[in-house]
Amino acid sequence: MHGLSSIDISYNELQGPIPNNKAFRDAPIEALQGNKGLCGNASALTPCKALISHTRVIRKRLVISFVVSGALVLLTVVTLMFFCFRRKKQELPKQHRSVNKDEILSVLTFDGKAMYKEIVSATENFDTKYCIGTGGFGSVYKAQLLSGIILAIKKFHSLQPDEIEDQKEFLTEIRALTEVRHRNIVKFFGFCVHSKDSFLVYEYLEKGSLTTFLSNEATARELDWGKRVNILKGVCNALSYIHHECFPPIVHRDISSKNVLLDSEYEAHVSDFGIAKFLKPNSSNWTQLAGTYGYIAPELAYTMKVTEKCDVYSFGVLALEVINGKHPGDIIPTLSSPFTWENFLLNNVLDERLPLPPPTIQDQLIAIVKLAIDCLNSNSKSRPTMNRVSHMFSAATDLP
């Protein structure tokens, strides 16, 4: 390039010695700026020997820094491994021994032992005057803590620590349930297993269970058609959430009207996520918690595999129950027979304790019944997912 008369290589971040010719030697500083790594015989540049010497010093310092940093990191890793190994070694005997009869196996968002004592004290050792409901698995108690918080305590008739099939998996899933957040799911605080008392801890909801409301003539009238549609919509959204928005997905296993609780605004909250899969088959609670008769999907008669489609079937039963006012056991077999939707709905499905709904609500109820029939398909693979049910339900209830 000896024929060059002038050059401009500014702002190219170039490095190394410039060519030894007149164009570069006479180049002004503006033509060479923006190239910090350049050196050579130009008035605007550092001589190459000085730059190379400086670069070597920097490299030497960087090498020393990397060596020192590497040694520190290695020392830190070795130290952490030592303490982790030591801790694991200390805990190993605890993991293999059985739970003592006086121990508490608990997962709570509070201090487990302290909360256990406060709950026992608040219910006066589970005195019957605090009992607000009973069932096959146990009884439900209302407990007001010293802080003023009111809890619902679902106490099992009997559940010992050794009745839990896999304690590690059980504790992992219970912890996951304490993280579930949805407006239509009862807030779950945890679970306690003790040699004397074993119970679930939930938030308290004023109105109680849906089954109690529907079984009473007076309270059933409080649930007008609008409230009933809204209740089903809430349950539908809750199931869609646990099936499709939780990771890993959660299967409720026991959807029924007794496990749907109502707040002061008659908003539905799904409660009591089943723990049946964690119980040993020969334990006293296993059959009681496997599901509620009349809501169990037919495939469970010949297989014990529970999937989210079991919840879909149970929702279909619940939807007919809410509209009919009682369990639809006698109606379900007739749903596959030919009939006129409107006449069948008015004569057989609607709760007679309520006045006939206006035409708009009738259209919504007919759409809900059709959706419930899809959920009750005997072939589990042909049932819609709860995500699809939720979308279809919203479309049905948004009818003008």
Side-chain angles (χ1 to χ4, degrees), residues 6 53 81 84 108 134 176-177 235 241 252 270 273 275 341 391:
S6 65
S53 176
M81 288 177 65
C84 288
L108 288 164
T134 58
L177 290 176
V235 175
Y241 169 78
H252 187 284
V270 177
F273 287 75
I275 62 167
W341 274 106
H391 284 98

Side-chain angles (χ1 to χ4, degrees), residues 142-271:
K142 179 180 178 181
Q144 183 167 356
L145 307 184
L146 296 175
S147 62
I149 295 175
I150 301 177
L151 299 174
I153 312 300
K154 295 198 171 188
K155 180 178 176 291
F156 293 94
H157 290 312
S158 64
L159 181 61
Q160 301 301 316
D162 59 0
E163 290 186 11
I164 298 176
E165 188 88 57
D166 186 335
Q167 290 184 5
K168 185 177 180 181
E169 186 185 355
F170 169 76
L171 295 177
T172 299
E173 181 138 337
I174 292 297
R175 285 193 183 95
L177 290 176
T178 62
E179 299 299 319
V180 171
R181 297 286 188 278
H182 192 277
R183 62 175 295 177
N184 296 113
I185 294 178
V186 175
K187 174 58 183 167
F188 177 62
F189 295 112
F191 185 84
C192 272
V193 179
H194 188 265
S195 59
K196 187 178 180 182
D197 304 304
S198 299
F199 50 78
L200 297 157
V201 183
Y202 288 100
E203 69 173 316
Y204 174 76
L205 292 169
E206 300 88 338
K207 296 291 186 182
S209 72
L210 177 60
T211 189
T212 301
F213 257 80
L214 292 176
S215 61
N216 182 279
E217 184 87 21
T219 54
R221 294 179 184 276
E222 293 180 34
L223 297 181
D224 58 37
W225 295 117
K227 289 188 178 74
R228 296 192 188 201
V229 169
N230 193 54
I231 286 170
L232 289 176
K233 190 171 186 178
V235 175
C236 182
N237 291 338
L239 291 178
S240 178
Y241 169 78
I242 63 172
H243 287 184
H244 303 283
E245 296 181 45
C246 290
F247 184 80
I250 299 172
V251 179
H252 187 284
R253 304 171 67 89
D254 193 13
I255 290 296
S256 63
S257 57
K258 66 181 176 63
N259 286 331
V260 175
L261 305 182
L262 305 178
D263 62 19
S264 59
E265 302 298 321
Y266 299 94
E267 188 80 20
H269 300 260
V270 177
S271 174

Side-chain angles (χ1 to χ4, degrees), residues 328-348:
D330 297 334
I331 298 175
I332 293 176
T334 66
L335 295 180
S336 58
S337 304
F339 54 81
T340 302
W341 274 106
E342 289 75 7
N343 292 336
F344 182 83
L345 180 67
L346 296 177
N347 296 330
N348 299 279

